[in-house]
Amino acid sequence: MKNLQESSRESLELKAAAAMELIERRAVKDFNYFVNHVFALSFQSDFVSGQYVADVCEHMDKHPYAMYITGRGHFKSTRLYARLMWHLLRFKREKRRSPVEGWYFSYNSELAAYHLSKVRSLVAINPFYSELTNYKSQTDSVLGFAKVGPNQTLDKAPKFLVKPAGLLAFKRGIHANLIYVDDPLKDPENKLKPTVIRKINRIVSTELLPMVNKGGECYVVGTPQTNDDFFFDKGLSTLFAQWFTPAILDWKAEKVLWPDFYTFEDLMKIRAAQGDKTFNQEYMAQPVYNEDSYINREALESVSTELCWKKRDWNKVLADAIVVGGFDIGKKRHPSHLALFIKKYSETEDGDEIISYRQIYSFWMDGWQYEKQYKELNQICELFNVSKLYYDNTRAEFEGFAEQGLLNPVMEPVTLNAKNQTKMAANLDMLITNNRINLINEQRQTSQLLMVDNALQALESPEGHGDSFWSICMGISNEDEGDIWIRY
């Protein structure tokens, strides 16, 4: 006969089992509830949730295909861990227990295996998964669990299997229910080379979605390297829900993304310890290469505007206007770019003259032959009544046309060198900083402006090689404030 202590213990165990059953039933239907009542038990310290985590869970529920750019320590990889464990719990409760297969991608397979080892550890200490059999050894990089039923052997039991892989080692033919990509552009050892970035961009842009089985899901989290990364691909935005969440939402109001975990004061301490550059990369999720940009992104955005008039209004807008411009001639694999500006004169209260610029035209010539380019420029100079158009003659692409008198007389050749490029770049930065220029808010032009670093070198991208930076610099090289084109 059982004693009172044994009966009491059994009663408590039954109550605990019943409570877990109720939690499980709700958790498999509600991802946010799962995170707070099941996933949270895998953490020895108190699990921090809050509205931000609830918003993430809701977003993932609504969007089976999504990309997340967010700061370090802000439920970044952890959201993927939680999602995997949620599917594992659902697998456990399914009566049919159909097999589930997934792939976890990172920059390389070692990083992907590390992430799956973290998930395995979280599962191991969570009481809700005690019925599952981990059929993979601790040294195996694959995440594998099975639900072995009564009178059933492991080899016959349905499996939940997730394999790690490096995105650069991607091979066609992969298909799975769950595809997760965790920081594919982050190599802990090195800053990625542009060629590697472009390869990863291509894989994500063209190969990722075909891997996902019908009814499956695909999530990507990470930090961008450049403004041309797949995170900002307009084509992908029609397929993936894209969510950018920096750690600080409003500097002036001291509003932060996850106040339950990081207060504004916490983040300011981290910033002071790391410095602005690292903090912006790690916590503000700014592209790594942006931190080396000659032009500040925020300052550039403050002077970027939409054109408020159409082509039919050109004559009205250009009446009595002084139009100047710059033209960067691209190499065979780089585009040429034209930038035109209205040049304005005004006076300060002290009577000093101020010159400012308003961009009125941005035009790209991708793959154009030089003959077609100069003919188009001749027409544009007439159409806009251009007063002066500087063009890059460093490699003398237009020299033959000039010698034959085929170029519009307002076109003036310029040979770029280190000294006048430095002066031009400083002039552009001064105009932006002093709000004396308005630039067309065009994604491609903006991206190429930000590609140029502090050494005045540009990261090569599929859209160009910093071309708009130099066309704009030439267009606003103001001879009234000193001759930028002094031949050194």
Short mmCIF file of all heavy atoms in Angstrom, two decimals, residues 17-71:
data_model
loop_
_atom_site.label_atom_id
_atom_site.label_comp_id
_atom_site.label_asym_id
_atom_site.label_seq_id
_atom_site.Cartn_x
_atom_site.Cartn_y
_atom_site.Cartn_z
N ALA A 17 2.09 16.98 -15.32
CA ALA A 17 1.93 16.44 -16.66
C ALA A 17 0.71 17.05 -17.34
O ALA A 17 0.74 17.37 -18.54
CB ALA A 17 1.81 14.92 -16.61
N ALA A 18 -0.37 17.22 -16.59
CA ALA A 18 -1.59 17.82 -17.15
C ALA A 18 -1.34 19.28 -17.54
O ALA A 18 -1.80 19.75 -18.58
CB ALA A 18 -2.73 17.72 -16.13
N ALA A 19 -0.59 19.98 -16.70
CA ALA A 19 -0.28 21.39 -16.98
C ALA A 19 0.58 21.50 -18.23
O ALA A 19 0.36 22.37 -19.08
CB ALA A 19 0.42 22.01 -15.78
N MET A 20 1.57 20.61 -18.37
CA MET A 20 2.42 20.62 -19.55
C MET A 20 1.62 20.30 -20.80
O MET A 20 1.87 20.88 -21.86
CB MET A 20 3.57 19.62 -19.37
CG MET A 20 4.60 20.04 -18.34
SD MET A 20 5.97 18.85 -18.18
CE MET A 20 6.78 19.01 -19.78
N GLU A 21 0.66 19.39 -20.66
CA GLU A 21 -0.18 19.04 -21.80
C GLU A 21 -0.98 20.25 -22.28
O GLU A 21 -1.07 20.52 -23.49
CB GLU A 21 -1.12 17.90 -21.42
CG GLU A 21 -2.16 17.54 -22.47
CD GLU A 21 -1.56 16.98 -23.74
OE1 GLU A 21 -0.41 16.51 -23.72
OE2 GLU A 21 -2.26 17.02 -24.79
N LEU A 22 -1.53 21.00 -21.33
CA LEU A 22 -2.29 22.19 -21.70
C LEU A 22 -1.40 23.25 -22.36
O LEU A 22 -1.79 23.90 -23.32
CB LEU A 22 -2.97 22.79 -20.46
CG LEU A 22 -4.10 21.95 -19.84
CD1 LEU A 22 -4.57 22.60 -18.54
CD2 LEU A 22 -5.27 21.84 -20.83
N ILE A 23 -0.20 23.40 -21.81
CA ILE A 23 0.74 24.36 -22.38
C ILE A 23 1.13 23.95 -23.80
O ILE A 23 1.15 24.78 -24.71
CB ILE A 23 2.01 24.47 -21.49
CG1 ILE A 23 1.65 25.16 -20.17
CG2 ILE A 23 3.10 25.25 -22.21
CD1 ILE A 23 2.77 25.14 -19.16
N GLU A 24 1.41 22.66 -23.98
CA GLU A 24 1.79 22.17 -25.31
C GLU A 24 0.70 22.42 -26.34
O GLU A 24 0.96 22.83 -27.46
CB GLU A 24 2.12 20.68 -25.26
CG GLU A 24 3.54 20.36 -24.87
CD GLU A 24 3.91 18.92 -25.19
OE1 GLU A 24 3.18 18.27 -25.96
OE2 GLU A 24 4.93 18.44 -24.67
N ARG A 25 -0.54 22.13 -25.95
CA ARG A 25 -1.66 22.29 -26.88
C ARG A 25 -1.76 23.72 -27.40
O ARG A 25 -2.02 23.96 -28.57
CB ARG A 25 -2.98 21.90 -26.19
CG ARG A 25 -3.16 20.42 -25.96
CD ARG A 25 -4.50 20.14 -25.32
NE ARG A 25 -4.69 18.73 -25.02
CZ ARG A 25 -5.77 18.23 -24.43
NH1 ARG A 25 -6.78 19.06 -24.09
NH2 ARG A 25 -5.87 16.95 -24.20
N ARG A 26 -1.55 24.66 -26.50
CA ARG A 26 -1.63 26.06 -26.91
C ARG A 26 -0.35 26.50 -27.64
O ARG A 26 -0.41 27.25 -28.61
CB ARG A 26 -1.86 26.96 -25.69
CG ARG A 26 -2.01 28.42 -26.05
CD ARG A 26 -2.39 29.26 -24.86
NE ARG A 26 -2.39 30.68 -25.21
CZ ARG A 26 -2.63 31.66 -24.35
NH1 ARG A 26 -2.91 31.38 -23.08
NH2 ARG A 26 -2.60 32.92 -24.76
N ALA A 27 0.77 25.98 -27.19
CA ALA A 27 2.06 26.42 -27.74
C ALA A 27 2.21 26.05 -29.21
O ALA A 27 2.79 26.82 -29.99
CB ALA A 27 3.20 25.82 -26.94
N VAL A 28 1.71 24.88 -29.61
CA VAL A 28 1.88 24.47 -31.01
C VAL A 28 1.02 25.32 -31.95
O VAL A 28 1.25 25.31 -33.18
CB VAL A 28 1.54 22.97 -31.20
CG1 VAL A 28 2.54 22.10 -30.46
CG2 VAL A 28 0.12 22.67 -30.78
N LYS A 29 0.09 26.06 -31.41
CA LYS A 29 -0.78 26.92 -32.22
C LYS A 29 -0.40 28.40 -32.14
O LYS A 29 -0.85 29.20 -32.95
CB LYS A 29 -2.24 26.76 -31.78
CG LYS A 29 -2.79 25.35 -31.96
CD LYS A 29 -4.21 25.26 -31.46
CE LYS A 29 -4.77 23.85 -31.61
NZ LYS A 29 -6.17 23.75 -31.10
N ASP A 30 0.40 28.75 -31.13
CA ASP A 30 0.71 30.16 -30.87
C ASP A 30 2.22 30.30 -30.65
O ASP A 30 2.73 29.94 -29.58
CB ASP A 30 -0.08 30.63 -29.63
CG ASP A 30 0.07 32.11 -29.35
OD1 ASP A 30 1.08 32.71 -29.76
OD2 ASP A 30 -0.83 32.68 -28.70
N PHE A 31 2.92 30.81 -31.64
CA PHE A 31 4.37 30.88 -31.57
C PHE A 31 4.85 31.78 -30.43
O PHE A 31 5.80 31.45 -29.72
CB PHE A 31 4.93 31.37 -32.91
CG PHE A 31 6.43 31.43 -32.97
CD1 PHE A 31 7.22 30.37 -32.52
CD2 PHE A 31 7.07 32.55 -33.48
CE1 PHE A 31 8.61 30.43 -32.58
CE2 PHE A 31 8.45 32.62 -33.55
CZ PHE A 31 9.22 31.56 -33.09
N ASN A 32 4.21 32.90 -30.24
CA ASN A 32 4.61 33.81 -29.15
C ASN A 32 4.41 33.15 -27.79
O ASN A 32 5.25 33.27 -26.89
CB ASN A 32 3.82 35.12 -29.23
CG ASN A 32 4.26 36.12 -28.19
OD1 ASN A 32 5.45 36.33 -27.97
ND2 ASN A 32 3.29 36.74 -27.52
N TYR A 33 3.30 32.45 -27.63
CA TYR A 33 3.06 31.72 -26.38
C TYR A 33 4.13 30.66 -26.18
O TYR A 33 4.65 30.47 -25.07
CB TYR A 33 1.67 31.08 -26.42
CG TYR A 33 1.29 30.35 -25.15
CD1 TYR A 33 0.73 31.02 -24.07
CD2 TYR A 33 1.51 28.98 -25.03
CE1 TYR A 33 0.38 30.34 -22.90
CE2 TYR A 33 1.18 28.29 -23.88
CZ TYR A 33 0.62 28.99 -22.81
OH TYR A 33 0.29 28.32 -21.65
N PHE A 34 4.48 29.96 -27.26
CA PHE A 34 5.54 28.95 -27.18
C PHE A 34 6.85 29.57 -26.69
O PHE A 34 7.53 29.01 -25.82
CB PHE A 34 5.75 28.32 -28.56
CG PHE A 34 7.05 27.59 -28.70
CD1 PHE A 34 7.19 26.28 -28.25
CD2 PHE A 34 8.17 28.21 -29.26
CE1 PHE A 34 8.40 25.61 -28.35
CE2 PHE A 34 9.38 27.54 -29.37
CZ PHE A 34 9.50 26.24 -28.91
N VAL A 35 7.21 30.70 -27.26
CA VAL A 35 8.47 31.34 -26.89
C VAL A 35 8.51 31.65 -25.40
O VAL A 35 9.52 31.43 -24.72
CB VAL A 35 8.69 32.62 -27.73
CG1 VAL A 35 9.83 33.45 -27.16
CG2 VAL A 35 8.99 32.24 -29.18
N ASN A 36 7.41 32.15 -24.87
CA ASN A 36 7.39 32.58 -23.48
C ASN A 36 7.17 31.46 -22.47
O ASN A 36 7.54 31.60 -21.31
CB ASN A 36 6.31 33.65 -23.29
CG ASN A 36 6.70 34.99 -23.89
OD1 ASN A 36 7.45 35.75 -23.30
ND2 ASN A 36 6.20 35.27 -25.09
N HIS A 37 6.57 30.34 -22.89
CA HIS A 37 6.22 29.29 -21.94
C HIS A 37 6.93 27.95 -22.16
O HIS A 37 6.93 27.10 -21.27
CB HIS A 37 4.70 29.05 -21.94
CG HIS A 37 3.90 30.21 -21.43
ND1 HIS A 37 3.56 31.28 -22.23
CD2 HIS A 37 3.42 30.48 -20.19
CE1 HIS A 37 2.88 32.15 -21.51
NE2 HIS A 37 2.78 31.70 -20.28
N VAL A 38 7.52 27.77 -23.33
CA VAL A 38 8.26 26.53 -23.60
C VAL A 38 9.73 26.85 -23.88
O VAL A 38 10.64 26.39 -23.17
CB VAL A 38 7.65 25.75 -24.78
CG1 VAL A 38 8.48 24.50 -25.08
CG2 VAL A 38 6.21 25.36 -24.47
N PHE A 39 9.98 27.64 -24.88
CA PHE A 39 11.34 27.99 -25.26
C PHE A 39 12.09 28.64 -24.10
O PHE A 39 13.28 28.37 -23.88
CB PHE A 39 11.30 28.93 -26.47
CG PHE A 39 12.64 29.31 -27.01
CD1 PHE A 39 13.48 28.36 -27.61
CD2 PHE A 39 13.08 30.62 -26.96
CE1 PHE A 39 14.71 28.72 -28.13
CE2 PHE A 39 14.31 30.99 -27.48
CZ PHE A 39 15.13 30.04 -28.06
N ALA A 40 11.41 29.46 -23.34
CA ALA A 40 12.04 30.17 -22.21
C ALA A 40 12.64 29.23 -21.18
O ALA A 40 13.61 29.59 -20.49
CB ALA A 40 11.01 31.09 -21.55
N LEU A 41 12.12 28.01 -21.09
CA LEU A 41 12.61 27.05 -20.09
C LEU A 41 14.00 26.52 -20.44
O LEU A 41 14.63 25.87 -19.62
CB LEU A 41 11.63 25.88 -19.95
CG LEU A 41 10.22 26.24 -19.46
CD1 LEU A 41 9.36 24.99 -19.37
CD2 LEU A 41 10.28 26.94 -18.10
N SER A 42 14.47 26.78 -21.65
CA SER A 42 15.79 26.31 -22.05
C SER A 42 16.90 27.22 -21.57
O SER A 42 18.08 26.93 -21.79
CB SER A 42 15.86 26.18 -23.58
OG SER A 42 15.02 25.14 -24.04
N PHE A 43 16.53 28.32 -20.92
CA PHE A 43 17.53 29.29 -20.46
C PHE A 43 17.61 29.26 -18.94
O PHE A 43 16.60 29.43 -18.25
CB PHE A 43 17.16 30.69 -20.95
CG PHE A 43 17.21 30.82 -22.45
CD1 PHE A 43 16.13 30.41 -23.22
CD2 PHE A 43 18.34 31.32 -23.08
CE1 PHE A 43 16.17 30.50 -24.60
CE2 PHE A 43 18.38 31.43 -24.46
CZ PHE A 43 17.30 31.01 -25.23
N GLN A 44 18.81 29.04 -18.43
CA GLN A 44 18.99 28.95 -16.99
C GLN A 44 18.71 30.28 -16.30
O GLN A 44 18.13 30.33 -15.23
CB GLN A 44 20.40 28.47 -16.68
CG GLN A 44 20.67 27.05 -17.17
CD GLN A 44 22.07 26.58 -16.86
OE1 GLN A 44 22.91 27.35 -16.39
NE2 GLN A 44 22.35 25.31 -17.13
N SER A 45 19.14 31.38 -16.92
CA SER A 45 18.80 32.69 -16.38
C SER A 45 17.41 33.07 -16.87
O SER A 45 16.84 32.43 -17.77
CB SER A 45 19.82 33.73 -16.83
OG SER A 45 19.87 33.77 -18.25
N ASP A 46 16.84 34.09 -16.30
CA ASP A 46 15.49 34.51 -16.68
C ASP A 46 15.46 34.91 -18.15
O ASP A 46 16.28 35.69 -18.61
CB ASP A 46 15.03 35.68 -15.82
CG ASP A 46 14.82 35.27 -14.37
OD1 ASP A 46 14.61 34.06 -14.14
OD2 ASP A 46 14.88 36.14 -13.49
N PHE A 47 14.51 34.36 -18.87
CA PHE A 47 14.35 34.69 -20.28
C PHE A 47 13.66 36.04 -20.40
O PHE A 47 12.63 36.29 -19.77
CB PHE A 47 13.53 33.61 -20.97
CG PHE A 47 13.30 33.86 -22.43
CD1 PHE A 47 14.30 33.63 -23.35
CD2 PHE A 47 12.07 34.34 -22.88
CE1 PHE A 47 14.09 33.86 -24.70
CE2 PHE A 47 11.86 34.58 -24.23
CZ PHE A 47 12.87 34.33 -25.14
N VAL A 48 14.22 36.93 -21.21
CA VAL A 48 13.66 38.27 -21.37
C VAL A 48 12.82 38.30 -22.65
O VAL A 48 13.30 37.96 -23.72
CB VAL A 48 14.77 39.34 -21.45
CG1 VAL A 48 14.17 40.72 -21.66
CG2 VAL A 48 15.62 39.30 -20.18
N SER A 49 11.59 38.71 -22.49
CA SER A 49 10.69 38.78 -23.63
C SER A 49 10.32 40.25 -23.87
O SER A 49 11.18 41.08 -24.04
CB SER A 49 9.46 37.92 -23.38
OG SER A 49 8.63 37.89 -24.52
N GLY A 50 9.06 40.55 -23.88
CA GLY A 50 8.62 41.93 -24.09
C GLY A 50 7.93 42.12 -25.43
O GLY A 50 7.79 41.18 -26.22
N GLN A 51 7.51 43.34 -25.70
CA GLN A 51 6.75 43.64 -26.91
C GLN A 51 7.55 43.39 -28.17
O GLN A 51 7.01 42.94 -29.19
CB GLN A 51 6.28 45.10 -26.88
CG GLN A 51 5.32 45.45 -28.01
CD GLN A 51 4.07 44.59 -28.01
OE1 GLN A 51 3.44 44.39 -26.98
NE2 GLN A 51 3.72 44.03 -29.19
N TYR A 52 8.85 43.66 -28.13
CA TYR A 52 9.68 43.45 -29.31
C TYR A 52 9.67 41.98 -29.72
O TYR A 52 9.49 41.65 -30.90
CB TYR A 52 11.11 43.91 -29.05
CG TYR A 52 12.11 43.44 -30.07
CD1 TYR A 52 12.00 43.81 -31.41
CD2 TYR A 52 13.18 42.62 -29.70
CE1 TYR A 52 12.91 43.37 -32.35
CE2 TYR A 52 14.10 42.18 -30.64
CZ TYR A 52 13.97 42.56 -31.97
OH TYR A 52 14.87 42.12 -32.90
N VAL A 53 9.85 41.08 -28.76
CA VAL A 53 9.84 39.64 -29.07
C VAL A 53 8.46 39.23 -29.59
O VAL A 53 8.35 38.44 -30.53
CB VAL A 53 10.23 38.82 -27.83
CG1 VAL A 53 10.03 37.33 -28.08
CG2 VAL A 53 11.68 39.09 -27.44
N ALA A 54 7.41 39.78 -28.99
CA ALA A 54 6.05 39.49 -29.46
C ALA A 54 5.87 39.94 -30.91
O ALA A 54 5.24 39.25 -31.71
CB ALA A 54 5.03 40.16 -28.55
N ASP A 55 6.43 41.11 -31.24
CA ASP A 55 6.33 41.62 -32.60
C ASP A 55 7.07 40.72 -33.59
O ASP A 55 6.61 40.48 -34.70
CB ASP A 55 6.88 43.04 -32.67
CG ASP A 55 6.01 44.06 -31.94
OD1 ASP A 55 4.83 43.74 -31.69
OD2 ASP A 55 6.51 45.15 -31.63
N VAL A 56 8.24 40.24 -33.17
CA VAL A 56 9.01 39.33 -34.02
C VAL A 56 8.21 38.06 -34.28
O VAL A 56 8.11 37.59 -35.42
CB VAL A 56 10.37 38.98 -33.38
CG1 VAL A 56 11.05 37.84 -34.14
CG2 VAL A 56 11.27 40.20 -33.34
N CYS A 57 7.63 37.49 -33.23
CA CYS A 57 6.85 36.26 -33.36
C CYS A 57 5.65 36.46 -34.28
O CYS A 57 5.35 35.61 -35.14
CB CYS A 57 6.38 35.78 -31.99
SG CYS A 57 7.71 35.25 -30.90
N GLU A 58 4.98 37.58 -34.11
CA GLU A 58 3.82 37.87 -34.96
C GLU A 58 4.23 38.02 -36.41
O GLU A 58 3.56 37.54 -37.33
CB GLU A 58 3.14 39.15 -34.48
CG GLU A 58 1.90 39.52 -35.28
CD GLU A 58 1.26 40.81 -34.82
OE1 GLU A 58 1.80 41.47 -33.91
OE2 GLU A 58 0.22 41.18 -35.40
N HIS A 59 5.36 38.68 -36.63
CA HIS A 59 5.84 38.88 -38.00
C HIS A 59 6.20 37.56 -38.65
O HIS A 59 5.88 37.33 -39.83
CB HIS A 59 7.06 39.81 -37.98
CG HIS A 59 7.45 40.34 -39.32
ND1 HIS A 59 8.32 39.67 -40.16
CD2 HIS A 59 7.08 41.47 -39.99
CE1 HIS A 59 8.47 40.37 -41.27
NE2 HIS A 59 7.74 41.46 -41.19
N MET A 60 6.84 36.67 -37.92
CA MET A 60 7.21 35.37 -38.47
C MET A 60 5.97 34.52 -38.76
O MET A 60 5.95 33.77 -39.74
CB MET A 60 8.15 34.64 -37.52
CG MET A 60 9.49 35.33 -37.33
SD MET A 60 10.65 34.46 -36.23
CE MET A 60 11.41 33.31 -37.39
N ASP A 61 4.96 34.65 -37.93
CA ASP A 61 3.72 33.92 -38.18
C ASP A 61 3.02 34.41 -39.45
O ASP A 61 2.46 33.62 -40.21
CB ASP A 61 2.76 34.07 -36.99
CG ASP A 61 3.06 33.09 -35.87
OD1 ASP A 61 3.67 32.04 -36.16
OD2 ASP A 61 2.70 33.37 -34.72
N LYS A 62 3.09 35.71 -39.68
CA LYS A 62 2.40 36.29 -40.83
C LYS A 62 3.16 36.08 -42.14
O LYS A 62 2.57 36.05 -43.21
CB LYS A 62 2.18 37.79 -40.62
CG LYS A 62 1.10 38.13 -39.60
CD LYS A 62 0.91 39.64 -39.53
CE LYS A 62 -0.22 40.00 -38.57
NZ LYS A 62 -0.40 41.48 -38.48
N HIS A 63 4.50 35.97 -42.03
CA HIS A 63 5.33 35.94 -43.23
C HIS A 63 6.22 34.69 -43.25
O HIS A 63 7.25 34.65 -42.57
CB HIS A 63 6.19 37.19 -43.30
CG HIS A 63 5.41 38.46 -43.25
ND1 HIS A 63 4.67 38.94 -44.31
CD2 HIS A 63 5.24 39.36 -42.23
CE1 HIS A 63 4.10 40.07 -43.97
NE2 HIS A 63 4.41 40.35 -42.73
N PRO A 64 5.86 33.67 -44.01
CA PRO A 64 6.70 32.47 -44.08
C PRO A 64 8.02 32.71 -44.79
O PRO A 64 8.95 31.92 -44.65
CB PRO A 64 5.83 31.48 -44.85
CG PRO A 64 4.86 32.32 -45.62
CD PRO A 64 4.61 33.53 -44.78
N TYR A 65 8.13 33.80 -45.55
CA TYR A 65 9.38 34.20 -46.18
C TYR A 65 9.72 35.61 -45.70
O TYR A 65 9.00 36.57 -45.99
CB TYR A 65 9.28 34.22 -47.71
CG TYR A 65 8.83 32.92 -48.33
CD1 TYR A 65 7.91 32.90 -49.38
CD2 TYR A 65 9.32 31.70 -47.88
CE1 TYR A 65 7.49 31.71 -49.95
CE2 TYR A 65 8.92 30.51 -48.45
CZ TYR A 65 8.00 30.52 -49.48
OH TYR A 65 7.60 29.33 -50.04
N ALA A 66 10.80 35.73 -44.94
CA ALA A 66 11.14 37.05 -44.38
C ALA A 66 12.64 37.19 -44.21
O ALA A 66 13.36 36.21 -44.00
CB ALA A 66 10.44 37.25 -43.04
N MET A 67 13.10 38.46 -44.30
CA MET A 67 14.49 38.81 -44.05
C MET A 67 14.54 39.84 -42.94
O MET A 67 13.78 40.81 -42.97
CB MET A 67 15.14 39.37 -45.31
CG MET A 67 15.34 38.36 -46.41
SD MET A 67 16.26 39.07 -47.81
CE MET A 67 16.44 37.62 -48.84
N TYR A 68 15.46 39.62 -41.99
CA TYR A 68 15.56 40.50 -40.83
C TYR A 68 16.96 41.08 -40.72
O TYR A 68 17.95 40.34 -40.68
CB TYR A 68 15.23 39.74 -39.55
CG TYR A 68 13.83 39.15 -39.54
CD1 TYR A 68 13.62 37.81 -39.87
CD2 TYR A 68 12.73 39.93 -39.19
CE1 TYR A 68 12.34 37.27 -39.86
CE2 TYR A 68 11.45 39.39 -39.18
CZ TYR A 68 11.26 38.07 -39.52
OH TYR A 68 10.00 37.53 -39.52
N ILE A 69 17.04 42.40 -40.70
CA ILE A 69 18.29 43.09 -40.41
C ILE A 69 18.14 43.67 -39.01
O ILE A 69 17.28 44.52 -38.77
CB ILE A 69 18.57 44.24 -41.40
CG1 ILE A 69 18.59 43.71 -42.83
CG2 ILE A 69 19.87 44.93 -41.06
CD1 ILE A 69 18.71 44.80 -43.87
N THR A 70 18.94 43.21 -38.08
CA THR A 70 18.81 43.69 -36.72
C THR A 70 20.15 43.66 -36.01
O THR A 70 21.14 43.14 -36.54
CB THR A 70 17.77 42.85 -35.94
OG1 THR A 70 17.46 43.48 -34.70
CG2 THR A 70 18.30 41.44 -35.67
N GLY A 71 20.18 44.25 -34.82
CA GLY A 71 21.42 44.41 -34.09
C GLY A 71 21.82 43.17 -33.30
O GLY A 71 21.01 42.29 -33.01
#
